[in-house]
Each structure stands twice: as C-alpha cells, then as structure tokens.
Amino acid sequence: KNGVIHAVDAVLEPPSFNKNIMATISGNDDLSILTSLLDAAGLGDVLAGKGPLTLFAPSDNAFESLLQGTIEFLLLDESRDVLTKILEYHVLARNGVSSSLTNGSTMTLSGDALSISLENTVDDSTIVVADIIASNGIVQ
C-alpha cells in the first residue's frame, strides 16, 4: 500500500563509494575553490589517501564571503602554513557520519577542537549537505 519493491541483480552503490574524498569533491562545481586550496596546501594527497576521514567542506559561496583578498593572501608561499592549518581544521581523522556526531567538541587534523552541535552546525556554520560517502570517509 505504500510503495513498490523492485528486485535487482546487483548491489547498487552511490558513485562516491568508489571515489576517495578528494576525487569526490573535485567533481563538484560548488567546491572548486576548496579543491584548489587543498591542492595548494598539499592536502590533496591526504584526502585521497587512507582514511577514515571526515571533511567539513566549505562551499565556493562560503569562500566568496571572506574579505576581499583573503584567498589570494592564503595562496602566497609565505602563507602556506596558515592555509594548511585552516584547511586541516576542517578535517577529522575519523568517520563523522551526521548520525554519529554529538554535541561537544572533537579534535581536527590541525590539533584544534571543533565545536559540533546536533542542530547540524559546526562552529556556528550550518551543514547544508550531509553524509556524502567516499571510499575513505565522509564529506559534510
């Protein structure tokens, strides 16, 4: 009465199951600035490597809301450490499926604590797309 069942001859998997985090975000036009910054910071290999990892992925809109000149500053060779620390702050060294996140703080790759709320917020930023599963972790 409430739906239809279709039997299939194979297990269906989202395309991201066969891609690591870096490959998954590289194909997303709304994450192009993040992808470029991760490559510039040398973190592309980390997010393409062994997991489990969770990436809280700022959208291009989030980066575009920064003060004018901020991205250009972060891309300077002398700012590489700052860029790396900022981006590592968006990565957990564990699977962080939204249903497993709890109120409180958790450590990031940068070594700093990230505040998580069950209202789908991370350090007062709203998670707009949750639980994109990749072969080596999760993208939020």
Side-chain angles (χ1 to χ4, degrees), residues 12-133:
L12 305 176
E13 295 180 354
S16 63
F17 274 26
N18 297 312
K19 295 181 185 176
N20 61 52
I21 290 173
M22 197 64 189
T24 298
I25 67 169
S26 294
N28 186 323
D29 291 339
D30 195 37
L31 300 174
S32 62
I33 295 172
L34 174 62
T35 302
S36 297
L37 293 174
L38 288 165
D39 282 336
L43 293 174
D45 289 342
V46 172
L47 294 172
K50 186 175 179 179
L53 299 166
T54 298
L55 171 65
F56 294 100
S59 67
D60 286 357
N61 285 339
F63 282 110
E64 290 164 355
S65 71
L66 295 173
L67 292 175
Q68 186 175 7
T70 300
I71 293 173
E72 292 78 8
F73 168 77
L74 292 171
L75 289 170
L76 296 172
D77 286 340
E78 57 268 20
S79 303
R80 182 74 37 95
D81 290 343
V82 174
L83 175 61
T84 301
K85 181 120 174 136
I86 289 169
L87 295 174
E88 286 176 339
Y89 186 67
H90 290 78
V91 182
L92 307 180
R94 65 180 179 89
N95 278 330
V97 179
S98 61
S99 62
S100 74
L101 299 175
T102 58
N103 282 327
S105 63
T106 188
M107 295 304 290
T108 65
L109 286 187
S110 71
D112 298 297
L114 182 71
S115 174
I116 296 177
S117 165
L118 291 181
E119 286 80 39
N120 269 352
T121 62
V122 178
D123 273 1
D124 298 321
S125 295
T126 303
I127 296 174
V128 293
V129 178
D131 298 339
I132 300 170
I133 309 296

